[in-house]
Amino acid sequence: MGKLLDVGFPDSGHLVGCHRKFELAATDAGALREWAATGWLFSLVGGALVAMFGGLVTKSGFDLLYPTVTGTEGQAVVTQGMIIAAAGLLVLFGSAAFYLMPDQRRNWAVLVSALSVLGWAEAGAFAIGQGWNELLLGISIGPVLGLIGGVLGMFRETSGD
């Protein structure tokens, strides 16, 4: 016997508070949990890659600052690196949160997706500013994984047993 799942579609008619219930077979529930776990794994790996790249950018900015303390280029690189690293760490936190709190999974998945896009934009701006146009594909791997994980977490229902 399957388990009822509330998918949030209002019934037609005058009862606004009622929702349609769909019954999931046992095989469907396993596949849906697998999608949520896959989204969590993608966003976890993507967040780790973004955070590592942000740390690398921040370190390179401090290397530019160290010989000449008055350089503004180093300060800009440090700022970009810290934004990228913060986005990556928040993607890591959000991916763990949307896996551990399934009732708030969609909210965390939206946050993971938004932060992945922010990290992607900031990393792309850094790469273009430094003349690393040929490395844009490599820099984009982490944010794309985070974005895919967030999207999988947003649109797939999990069922609690």
XYZ file of all heavy atoms in Angstrom, residues 32-44 90-113 116 145-156 158:
402
model
N 12.136 8.879 -5.585
C 12.087 10.289 -5.216
C 13.129 10.621 -4.160
O 13.744 11.678 -4.197
C 10.693 10.664 -4.717
C 9.598 10.621 -5.788
C 8.255 10.901 -5.169
C 9.890 11.584 -6.913
N 13.350 9.734 -3.203
C 14.400 9.958 -2.209
C 15.761 9.966 -2.888
O 16.656 10.705 -2.494
C 14.358 8.883 -1.124
C 13.374 9.179 -0.038
C 13.603 8.284 1.151
N 13.552 6.871 0.831
C 12.443 6.143 0.790
N 11.291 6.702 1.050
N 12.491 4.873 0.485
N 15.909 9.135 -3.918
C 17.171 9.095 -4.652
C 17.443 10.419 -5.360
O 18.571 10.892 -5.387
C 17.111 7.946 -5.660
C 18.434 7.560 -6.231
C 18.303 6.310 -7.075
O 17.906 5.267 -6.538
O 18.592 6.414 -8.279
N 16.403 11.068 -5.913
C 16.576 12.369 -6.568
C 17.016 13.427 -5.564
O 17.875 14.250 -5.843
C 15.269 12.816 -7.232
C 15.082 12.244 -8.592
C 14.352 11.135 -8.912
C 15.627 12.720 -9.811
N 14.414 10.901 -10.248
C 15.186 11.861 -10.834
C 16.444 13.791 -10.135
C 15.540 12.055 -12.154
C 16.793 13.980 -11.462
C 16.343 13.119 -12.447
N 16.412 13.407 -4.375
C 16.789 14.386 -3.353
C 18.226 14.164 -2.901
O 18.975 15.115 -2.691
C 15.844 14.294 -2.159
N 18.626 12.910 -2.757
C 20.006 12.614 -2.361
C 20.984 13.007 -3.461
O 22.078 13.506 -3.177
C 20.152 11.134 -2.025
N 20.597 12.823 -4.709
C 21.455 13.230 -5.816
C 21.610 14.747 -5.845
O 22.713 15.262 -6.046
C 20.872 12.735 -7.153
O 20.726 11.321 -7.096
C 21.770 13.106 -8.313
N 20.530 15.472 -5.642
C 20.602 16.936 -5.594
C 21.477 17.415 -4.459
O 22.260 18.353 -4.607
N 21.354 16.766 -3.300
C 22.191 17.120 -2.151
C 23.659 16.880 -2.472
O 24.507 17.720 -2.187
C 21.768 16.292 -0.944
C 22.698 16.403 0.206
C 22.857 17.484 1.015
C 23.620 15.427 0.673
N 23.813 17.225 1.972
C 24.290 15.966 1.774
C 23.924 14.139 0.265
C 25.261 15.264 2.466
C 24.884 13.442 0.957
C 25.545 14.006 2.045
N 23.969 15.750 -3.085
C 25.361 15.433 -3.407
C 25.927 16.413 -4.428
O 27.059 16.887 -4.277
C 25.464 13.998 -3.928
C 26.853 13.483 -4.236
C 27.690 13.455 -2.963
C 26.782 12.107 -4.850
N 25.163 16.729 -5.466
C 25.632 17.690 -6.465
C 25.918 19.045 -5.830
O 26.953 19.658 -6.089
C 24.600 17.871 -7.582
C 24.650 16.838 -8.669
C 23.726 16.847 -9.686
C 25.615 15.850 -8.677
C 23.752 15.908 -10.690
C 25.664 14.906 -9.674
C 24.721 14.936 -10.690
N 24.994 19.534 -5.014
C 25.202 20.853 -4.419
C 26.320 20.832 -3.384
O 27.024 21.829 -3.227
C 23.906 21.370 -3.810
O 23.434 20.493 -2.828
N 26.513 19.719 -2.715
C 27.612 19.611 -1.749
C 28.967 19.686 -2.460
O 29.852 20.451 -2.060
C 27.481 18.310 -0.968
C 28.371 18.142 0.244
C 27.916 19.088 1.338
C 28.307 16.711 0.737
N 28.259 28.981 1.957
C 26.813 29.015 2.175
C 26.091 27.971 1.324
O 25.061 27.438 1.741
C 26.262 30.413 1.907
C 26.630 31.450 2.969
C 26.207 32.835 2.527
C 26.007 31.090 4.298
N 26.621 27.655 0.145
C 26.056 26.557 -0.648
C 26.259 25.234 0.094
O 25.354 24.394 0.146
C 26.682 26.506 -2.069
C 26.362 25.196 -2.768
C 26.184 27.672 -2.902
N 27.437 25.048 0.688
C 27.674 23.841 1.494
C 26.680 23.755 2.650
O 26.079 22.699 2.892
C 29.101 23.855 2.056
C 30.213 23.401 1.143
C 31.567 23.671 1.789
C 30.076 21.941 0.823
N 26.512 24.837 3.382
C 25.582 24.867 4.512
C 24.148 24.631 4.042
O 23.401 23.856 4.643
C 25.694 26.204 5.248
C 24.699 26.353 6.347
C 24.851 25.662 7.533
C 23.599 27.177 6.188
C 23.926 25.791 8.550
C 22.672 27.315 7.199
C 22.831 26.618 8.383
N 23.760 25.299 2.963
C 22.401 25.145 2.444
C 22.121 23.752 1.928
O 21.014 23.226 2.103
N 23.103 23.119 1.295
C 22.882 21.762 0.802
C 22.724 20.785 1.958
O 21.877 19.889 1.914
C 24.016 21.330 -0.123
O 25.233 21.231 0.599
N 23.496 20.951 3.007
C 23.323 20.102 4.190
C 21.976 20.373 4.841
O 21.294 19.443 5.287
C 24.461 20.347 5.172
N 21.553 21.624 4.879
C 20.278 21.974 5.505
C 19.102 21.425 4.710
O 18.134 20.935 5.291
C 20.166 23.482 5.644
N 19.159 21.466 3.380
C 18.003 20.964 2.644
C 17.955 19.446 2.634
O 16.903 18.863 2.409
C 17.847 21.611 1.256
C 18.460 20.945 0.058
C 17.992 19.751 -0.428
C 19.468 21.575 -0.641
C 18.530 19.175 -1.566
C 20.003 21.025 -1.772
C 19.533 19.807 -2.235
N 19.042 18.793 2.970
C 19.008 17.343 3.130
C 18.538 16.962 4.531
O 17.791 16.004 4.702
C 20.387 16.750 2.853
C 20.407 15.248 2.897
C 19.841 14.509 1.864
C 20.973 14.564 3.958
C 19.852 13.131 1.896
C 20.991 13.188 3.995
C 20.424 12.478 2.964
O 20.426 11.118 2.995
N 18.955 17.709 5.538
C 18.624 17.373 6.925
C 17.239 17.861 7.340
O 16.658 17.334 8.288
C 19.670 17.959 7.871
C 21.067 17.368 7.729
C 22.049 18.112 8.612
C 21.055 15.882 8.057
N 16.722 18.891 6.677
C 15.393 19.420 7.006
C 14.468 19.276 5.797
O 14.268 20.237 5.049
C 15.503 20.890 7.407
C 16.255 21.119 8.678
S 16.250 22.853 9.126
C 17.868 23.338 8.530
N 13.928 18.083 5.579
C 13.129 17.872 4.361
C 11.857 18.716 4.294
O 11.377 18.988 3.199
C 12.798 16.380 4.397
C 13.078 15.917 5.760
C 14.037 16.868 6.373
N 11.334 19.173 5.428
C 10.135 19.998 5.382
C 10.428 21.403 4.848
O 9.539 22.071 4.334
C 9.482 20.078 6.758
C 10.440 20.554 7.840
O 11.646 20.291 7.706
O 9.970 21.175 8.809
N 11.664 21.866 4.926
C 12.059 23.170 4.398
C 13.006 23.036 3.209
O 13.714 23.970 2.870
C 12.743 23.979 5.496
C 11.883 24.252 6.682
C 12.646 24.966 7.779
O 13.847 25.195 7.680
N 11.947 25.313 8.831
N 12.985 21.884 2.570
C 13.939 21.572 1.512
C 13.857 22.551 0.347
O 14.881 22.997 -0.164
C 13.690 20.150 1.025
C 14.489 19.751 -0.174
C 14.070 18.389 -0.688
N 12.638 18.168 -0.677
C 11.809 18.640 -1.592
N 12.262 19.355 -2.584
N 10.521 18.398 -1.529
N 12.674 22.915 -0.060
C 12.553 23.816 -1.220
C 13.132 25.192 -0.926
O 13.751 25.800 -1.796
C 11.105 23.929 -1.653
C 10.648 22.672 -2.332
C 9.328 22.840 -2.968
N 8.985 21.594 -3.648
C 7.773 21.258 -3.971
N 6.782 22.066 -3.697
N 7.542 20.125 -4.581
N 12.942 25.700 0.276
C 13.508 27.012 0.628
C 15.031 26.972 0.574
O 15.671 27.887 0.045
C 13.051 27.429 2.022
C 11.561 27.615 2.104
O 10.914 27.924 1.107
N 11.007 27.404 3.280
N 15.603 25.922 1.147
C 17.062 25.805 1.124
C 17.573 25.564 -0.288
O 18.648 26.051 -0.655
C 17.518 24.693 2.056
C 17.388 25.055 3.493
C 16.461 24.586 4.368
C 18.189 25.996 4.210
N 16.642 25.181 5.592
C 17.695 26.042 5.526
C 19.266 26.799 3.871
C 18.251 26.858 6.506
C 19.815 27.608 4.850
C 19.316 27.628 6.135
N 16.834 24.815 -1.093
C 17.250 24.565 -2.470
C 17.254 25.852 -3.292
O 18.133 26.059 -4.129
C 16.353 23.512 -3.113
N 16.282 26.731 -3.044
C 16.263 28.037 -3.724
C 17.489 28.846 -3.317
O 18.148 29.479 -4.152
C 14.950 28.793 -3.419
C 15.035 30.242 -3.843
C 13.785 28.103 -4.085
N 17.820 28.826 -2.009
C 19.006 29.539 -1.537
C 20.278 28.974 -2.161
O 21.156 29.730 -2.586
C 19.098 29.469 -0.009
C 20.299 30.175 0.607
C 20.127 31.674 0.494
C 20.493 29.746 2.033
N 20.376 27.647 -2.241
C 21.545 27.007 -2.854
C 21.665 27.430 -4.322
O 22.755 27.766 -4.796
C 21.464 25.472 -2.715
C 22.412 24.762 -3.661
C 21.739 25.062 -1.276
N 20.553 27.438 -5.040
C 20.582 27.842 -6.453
C 20.993 29.304 -6.611
O 21.821 29.635 -7.470
C 19.217 27.616 -7.093
O 18.873 26.265 -7.050
N 24.659 29.692 -5.840
C 25.471 29.123 -6.920
C 25.576 30.096 -8.088
O 26.646 30.265 -8.668
C 24.876 27.802 -7.392
O 24.939 26.833 -6.380
N 27.328 22.548 -10.768
C 26.918 21.425 -9.924
C 26.009 21.900 -8.791
O 25.011 21.245 -8.469
C 28.141 20.706 -9.357
C 28.921 19.836 -10.329
C 30.176 19.292 -9.659
C 28.072 18.706 -10.852
N 26.348 23.032 -8.176
C 25.498 23.579 -7.129
C 24.122 23.961 -7.651
O 23.106 23.716 -6.991
N 24.077 24.538 -8.841
C 22.806 24.933 -9.442
C 21.958 23.709 -9.777
O 20.750 23.686 -9.510
C 23.061 25.771 -10.696
C 21.846 26.364 -11.388
C 21.129 27.327 -10.459
C 22.270 27.063 -12.664
N 22.562 22.680 -10.342
C 21.829 21.443 -10.656
C 21.290 20.812 -9.375
O 20.143 20.369 -9.317
C 22.726 20.461 -11.428
C 22.992 20.977 -12.836
C 22.092 19.076 -11.498
C 24.034 20.183 -13.599
N 22.117 20.772 -8.332
C 21.662 20.220 -7.064
C 20.511 21.009 -6.471
O 19.555 20.432 -5.947
N 20.577 22.327 -6.560
C 19.482 23.151 -6.057
C 18.199 22.937 -6.841
O 17.113 22.872 -6.263
N 18.310 22.816 -8.143
C 17.125 22.589 -8.973
C 16.533 21.214 -8.676
O 15.306 21.066 -8.580
C 17.469 22.752 -10.474
C 16.358 22.259 -11.355
C 17.774 24.206 -10.775
N 17.362 20.208 -8.520
C 16.850 18.881 -8.166
C 16.162 18.908 -6.803
O 15.156 18.235 -6.597
C 17.980 17.853 -8.153
C 18.496 17.383 -9.494
C 19.693 16.467 -9.307
C 17.414 16.676 -10.277
N 16.679 19.686 -5.884
C 16.058 19.794 -4.575
C 14.755 20.575 -4.603
O 13.867 20.340 -3.789
N 14.610 21.510 -5.529
C 13.396 22.318 -5.609
C 12.215 21.555 -6.179
O 11.102 21.700 -5.717
C 13.630 23.530 -6.524
C 14.149 24.738 -5.832
S 14.128 26.125 -6.941
C 15.708 25.966 -7.724
N 12.445 20.771 -7.197
C 11.344 20.223 -7.971
C 11.052 18.761 -7.716
O 10.198 18.199 -8.359
C 11.596 20.434 -9.453
C 11.596 21.884 -9.812
C 12.751 22.511 -10.243
C 10.455 22.635 -9.680
C 12.746 23.838 -10.559
C 10.447 23.981 -9.989
C 11.599 24.590 -10.431
N 11.739 18.138 -6.806
C 11.468 16.735 -6.516
C 10.940 16.594 -5.103
O 11.496 17.138 -4.170
C 12.738 15.882 -6.675
C 13.212 15.798 -8.098
C 12.215 15.059 -8.916
N 12.648 15.054 -10.301
C 12.024 14.373 -11.244
N 10.983 13.673 -10.963
N 12.460 14.410 -12.468
N 10.215 14.566 -1.698
C 10.719 13.457 -0.915
C 9.583 12.926 -0.068
O 8.644 13.626 0.239
C 11.873 13.884 0.006
O 11.378 14.895 0.884
C 13.045 14.392 -0.783
